[in-house]
Amino acid sequence: MQVPKRNSISHNRLEGEIPPGVAQLRHLSFFSLSFNGLTNFTSGIKILMHCKMLDVVLMAHNFLQEMISNDDINMVASNGFKNLQFLDLSECQLTGQFPIWLSKLQKLEILNLNTNRMTGSIPGWLSTLPRLISLQLSDNLISGEFPEELCALPALVSEQDLADNSSFLLPIFNINMNIWFHQYNSIHNWKPNIVLRNNSLSGHIPVEIARLKQLHTLDLSHNNFSGNIPSQISELTNLEDLDLSANQLSGKIPASLISLSFLHTLNVSDNKLYGEILSGTQLQSFDASAYKGNLGLCGDPLPKCGHLTRDSRDMDIHDEEDGDSIPWFHIFVVLGFITGFWGVCGPLLLYHNWRVAYFSFLDKLIDKLDEAIAVSVSG
């Protein structure tokens, strides 16, 4: 195995711009300058794009609060980074929207843009990246919905043969969902994930997410997703970590989730879920903190379901097919009252003879009541 050319000088006090001379390092494959004081993001990316053999670019915590530029970099992007597999620009507080030049990186497998200040929506063109297995966009200012196009990422829909990507030596590290700390010796061993934690995403979680069969981690926490948890998530048979906490999700926890036998991290806390947690399943093996903040949820590991109020039980009548709660019980009560009211009072308003007969009947009824009362008193 040929050892590739590497440049790793992370965690130093380097400042200033990436020198233009780096562009002459034609055989450079691994470039790591994370946690330094680099500036001029646009210039640095353009210089590195001349290094045609680059596999990995790690520049986390640099270019603080700079703007992501599209126009200048697009002039170089057609040929630059053509072999790039791993791009880490996390913790840079970069501003702006998704750079379109990322769509040119047809060999990109891992994209880490965590902890920036990126705005706009998640672009659908990410689904055109045929080898992307890891999309990490947590702690940004991204809005809009979860794009259905994202559910068609080729390398997450079906298993890809990525064995040729293990030619360089790492190691590389990743903090997964702020919980699991992983060290990998090659990109080939990286666990596929989509991490969109702590943004401003809204709308429903698309049922098409079930297509992403290769996913190991799905983190949509701390957003504004609404509607039901799609039962189709149970079709993600490789899923190990699922975090849907701190959203506006409603309805019951899908019974189908019990089929995720390899799920070892679950968090649906701080939503609007209700109903009983299915007993005798691995859903009860998780700590109570995984379910906290859902006032309508009950059952082990939460308190028993006897404490549910009538309002909580009435939720079962709501329509859940599209994730919107429709109070059918209350609708039927109102309709019944209206029907009964007009069934009795309508004819009285429309027909004079009926009104005369009705009030004559009331007069006779009152007279009989008076007589009965008088007899009772005299007796």
Side-chain angles (χ1 to χ4, degrees):
M1 177 186 299
Q2 180 181 1
V3 178
K5 303 295 183 180
R6 300 166 56 91
N7 187 332
S8 179
I9 44 179
S10 299
H11 294 274
N12 284 283
R13 297 181 179 179
L14 300 176
E15 297 181 350
E17 302 181 10
I18 295 176
V22 172
Q24 304 303 315
L25 303 176
R26 303 296 185 183
H27 297 286
L28 183 67
S29 64
F30 187 101
F31 186 79
S32 177
L33 280 174
S34 297
F35 293 90
N36 282 289
L38 300 180
T39 57
N40 199 337
F41 172 80
T42 300
S43 173
I45 292 295
K46 289 172 67 176
I47 289 171
L48 290 176
M49 282 185 173
H50 288 284
C51 302
K52 307 298 185 182
M53 301 300 294
L54 270 174
D55 294 314
V56 177
V57 172
L58 309 177
M59 294 193 294
H61 201 80
N62 286 288
F63 315 111
L64 298 183
Q65 300 185 32
E66 292 188 24
M67 172 72 75
I68 294 178
S69 173
N70 268 314
D71 296 337
D72 292 338
I73 297 178
N74 280 339
M75 300 297 292
V76 186
S78 57
N79 293 315
F81 285 168
K82 65 178 183 179
N83 289 307
L84 193 65
Q85 300 167 28
F86 189 166
L87 177 61
D88 184 357
L89 295 172
S90 61
E91 300 188 43
C92 293
Q93 299 297 326
L94 293 169
T95 62
Q97 300 189 3
F98 279 83
I100 190 66
W101 52 267
L102 290 175
S103 65
K104 311 286 187 180
L105 311 185
Q106 294 297 294
K107 291 190 177 181
L108 189 66
E109 296 178 29
I110 300 172
L111 176 61
N112 188 346
L113 296 174
N114 290 340
T115 319
N116 283 289
R117 300 183 61 82
M118 298 182 63
T119 56
S121 58
I122 300 174
W125 49 254
L126 283 172
S127 64
T128 65
L129 300 178
R131 304 169 76 94
L132 189 65
I133 62 168
S134 177
L135 179 62
Q136 302 177 64
L137 304 176
S138 67
D139 299 294
N140 276 280
L141 303 174
I142 302 169
S143 57
E145 300 186 354
F146 189 110
E148 290 185 11
E149 295 92 336
L150 205 61
C151 301
L153 279 167
L156 292 179
V157 170
S158 59
E159 189 172 4
Q160 304 286 314
D161 182 12
L162 305 178
D164 59 330
N165 294 335
S166 59
S167 59
F168 55 86
L169 303 178
L170 296 170
I172 51 180
F173 305 91
N174 186 46
I175 296 178
N176 185 9
M177 297 176 64
N178 295 325
I179 300 175
W180 305 104
F181 185 72
H182 295 290
Q183 173 180 337
Y184 298 95
N185 292 323
S186 73
I187 289 182
H188 184 58
N189 295 327
W190 198 272
K191 290 189 175 183
N193 62 68
I194 291 180
V195 180
L196 307 181
R197 177 186 181 91
N198 195 23
N199 280 284
S200 298
L201 296 167
S202 58
H204 292 190
I205 301 173
V207 298
E208 291 81 4
I209 203 168
R211 299 181 60 193
L212 304 176
K213 306 294 186 185
Q214 305 306 313
L215 262 186
H216 285 239
T217 295
L218 177 62
D219 187 348
L220 306 181
S221 64
H222 294 269
N223 281 285
N224 294 307
F225 288 110
S226 59
N228 290 353
I229 298 175
S231 61
Q232 291 82 358
I233 286 182
S234 64
E235 299 177 28
L236 302 178
T237 51
N238 286 304
L239 198 63
E240 298 177 0
D241 306 301
L242 176 62
D243 194 342
L244 303 176
S245 62
N247 280 286
Q248 301 294 320
L249 297 170
S250 57
K252 296 182 178 181
I253 298 176
S256 59
L257 290 189
I258 65 176
S259 64
L260 295 177
S261 56
F262 293 100
L263 195 65
H264 61 71
T265 299
L266 172 68
N267 193 345
V268 294
S269 62
D270 298 313
N271 280 286
K272 298 179 179 180
L273 302 173
Y274 64 85
E276 183 176 6
I277 299 171
L278 291 178
S279 59
T281 69
Q282 89 270 20
L283 295 181
Q284 294 180 314
S285 66
F286 299 106
D287 190 79
S289 61
Y291 303 103
K292 71 177 181 65
N294 293 281
L295 298 182
L297 273 185
C298 62
D300 191 23
L302 297 178
K304 294 182 179 180
C305 292
H307 75 288
L308 284 181
T309 64
R310 181 176 179 180
D311 289 339
S312 298
R313 292 193 300 268
D314 285 346
M315 289 181 182
D316 291 341
I317 304 173
H318 295 180
D319 181 71
E320 301 177 29
E321 289 186 358
D322 60 358
D324 296 326
S325 297
I326 302 175
W328 291 111
F329 175 78
H330 302 291
I331 291 174
F332 290 145
V333 169
V334 172
L335 289 176
F337 172 79
I338 293 173
T339 302
F341 177 82
W342 284 108
V344 173
C345 298
L348 296 180
L349 294 175
L350 295 175
Y351 300 105
H352 173 74
N353 292 339
W354 284 39
R355 288 199 300 274
V356 172
Y358 177 72
F359 288 112
S360 175
F361 168 76
L362 288 180
D363 288 338
K364 291 179 180 179
L365 182 61
I366 292 172
D367 290 341
K368 290 183 179 181
L369 289 174
D370 289 340
E371 291 177 5
I373 292 172
V375 171
S376 175
V377 172
S378 62

